[in-house]
Amino acid sequence: MVLPISQFCQTPGQFFVNQAGHHRIAINRRGKYIESITLAAGTQQKRSNSKMSSAPAPVLDMNKLNAFIGQFVTDLGASVHAGMVVIGEKLGLYKALAAQPLSSAELAAKTKTDERYLREWLSSQAAGGYITYDDASGKFSLNTEQEFTLANEDSPAYLPGAFELALASLAAVPRITESFLTGKGMGWHEHAEGVFHGCEKFFRPGYVANLVTSWIPALTGVQQKLEAGARVADIGCGKGASTLLMAQAFPKSHFFGFDYHDKSIEGARASAKRDGLADRVSFDVAAAKEFPGREYDFVAVFDCLHDMGDPVGAAKHVLKSLAKDGTWMIVEPFANDQLKDNLNPVGRIYYGFSTLLCTPSSRSQEVGLCLGAQAGEARIRNVVTSAGFTRFRRAAETPFNIVYEARP
């Protein structure tokens, strides 16, 4: 059996790998030269025409090569898959399949979509393991786990938002590519609309699962203050998911959300009104170094300190805004201090988002410290203590986040 992979090479030619561990290369350079090489058992045999010579080809470890090509196939499928998930969510396809098994024709009728497009989409989702296909009935459905993660927006493991964020982030690739050459930044507000919606959907499930049940209880005395009635500021609140979750859990407290992005604040205000919380929750446009108010009992920043151009300046402003016995909660993406310890699937995700979103955002602002999404505890501690906080500790963590507590 011979596996052609030449179509994935950037240079002209053909590269074949067979099960015996041999490979053959035939490179056509401007139609003038063809070389054929066979490698076997650590030896090299080379035949070339008299017009040109070439350096010996490297001896390849076939197991490693095939494993890497397998990784490539998985990654390419995942790249295209992101768009498929976004389509499925926006058209309500997952929710329709959660109700009952359906054929492509039945799903088309139920969702008022085109059957032929649906047939391709369903096939791609079944191949990726995101929906279940029954060959006997020719129908598609969601199993319990697929329904929990793809069709239930209130689930703490709801996944489509992550794909919307990823897909919208990639729209900035041409500009970020140019930034590699110029060093210029790109403000958060300059990204595609899907970045803002996707970001809220991406982070909200983690907040639903952990914020009230484990993160706030892990902080010294904060839960008791919130239950009794406290003044709370949520800095960099975006569309307000974290603010509203806290407000729902602690009805005696008042919450103030701030973000420099006006469109996100508009969305947050609409959500507060929709949820009947506008009497205790307010949202205003303000930067992290300029938000109004003093004597806050509790200040929180969720997954945004590393995006700031001047996080030390922001930390100083938080310190001034806190009551003497106030607490600052800093939620950051999970990261170890050393690069070698972040070379894993979670680190891969965050380094990618950091390249497209976080680092450009910081670079677009004053100072441009560029902590990045994988800053790690040591760098966050340095930012906080440099601002004047005297107490800092890791209070809680999940596979995706670390929660820090800072006090004056």
Side-chain angles (χ1 to χ4, degrees), residues 59-265:
V59 177
L60 299 174
D61 184 317
M62 292 299 110
N63 290 328
K64 291 182 178 179
L65 177 61
N66 286 323
F68 187 71
I69 295 301
Q71 178 183 335
F72 154 77
V73 171
T74 299
D75 290 346
L76 182 60
S79 299
V80 180
H81 178 78
M84 301 298 101
V85 174
V86 171
I87 290 171
E89 186 198 36
K90 288 189 178 299
L91 296 178
L93 305 181
Y94 294 119
K95 290 182 174 65
L97 288 171
Q100 64 186 113
L102 299 168
S103 67
S104 59
E106 291 168 338
L107 181 60
K110 186 172 185 178
T111 58
K112 295 181 172 56
T113 51
D114 182 81
E115 188 276 336
R116 187 62 189 90
Y117 278 109
L118 274 181
R119 206 186 322 159
E120 294 302 299
W121 181 85
L122 287 164
S123 299
S124 79
Q125 294 293 278
Y130 272 51
I131 65 174
T132 301
Y133 174 64
D134 180 59
D135 184 57
S137 65
K139 294 189 176 185
F140 301 86
S141 62
L142 298 184
N143 61 34
T144 302
E145 292 72 27
Q146 291 164 344
E147 179 181 350
F148 185 69
T149 55
L150 295 170
N152 182 0
E153 293 187 38
D154 294 324
S155 162
Y158 188 63
L159 300 179
F163 290 100
E164 183 176 3
L165 176 59
L167 195 63
S169 299
L170 291 172
V173 165
R175 180 163 170 180
I176 299 303
T177 302
E178 185 66 22
S179 294
F180 272 68
L181 302 176
T182 65
K184 293 182 179 180
M186 180 176 180
W188 178 260
H189 62 285
E190 298 181 88
H191 283 277
E193 190 72 16
V195 167
F196 317 129
H197 297 301
C199 188
E200 180 190 26
K201 291 178 184 177
F202 176 49
F203 285 112
R204 189 177 186 278
Y207 302 159
V208 169
N210 301 289
L211 176 54
V212 173
T213 58
S214 59
W215 293 351
I216 288 177
L219 304 173
T220 306
V222 171
Q223 181 171 348
Q224 293 81 357
K225 289 182 180 180
L226 292 172
E227 289 173 344
R231 280 172 48 84
V232 181
D234 188 356
I235 313 306
C237 66
K239 295 173 75 68
S242 53
T243 323
L244 297 174
L245 285 170
M246 291 189 290
Q248 289 166 348
F250 302 105
K252 293 183 179 181
S253 292
H254 285 76
F255 296 83
F256 305 85
F258 302 104
D259 198 287
Y260 94 97
H261 184 225
D262 57 346
K263 298 300 183 182
S264 290
I265 289 297

Side-chain angles (χ1 to χ4, degrees), residues 334-339 341-342 344 351 374-377 394 402:
F334 187 96
N336 297 294
D337 291 326
Q338 301 298 319
L339 171 62
D341 298 321
N342 293 327
N344 52 58
Y351 279 124
Q374 294 288 269
E377 182 173 346
R394 181 186 297 211
I402 299 178

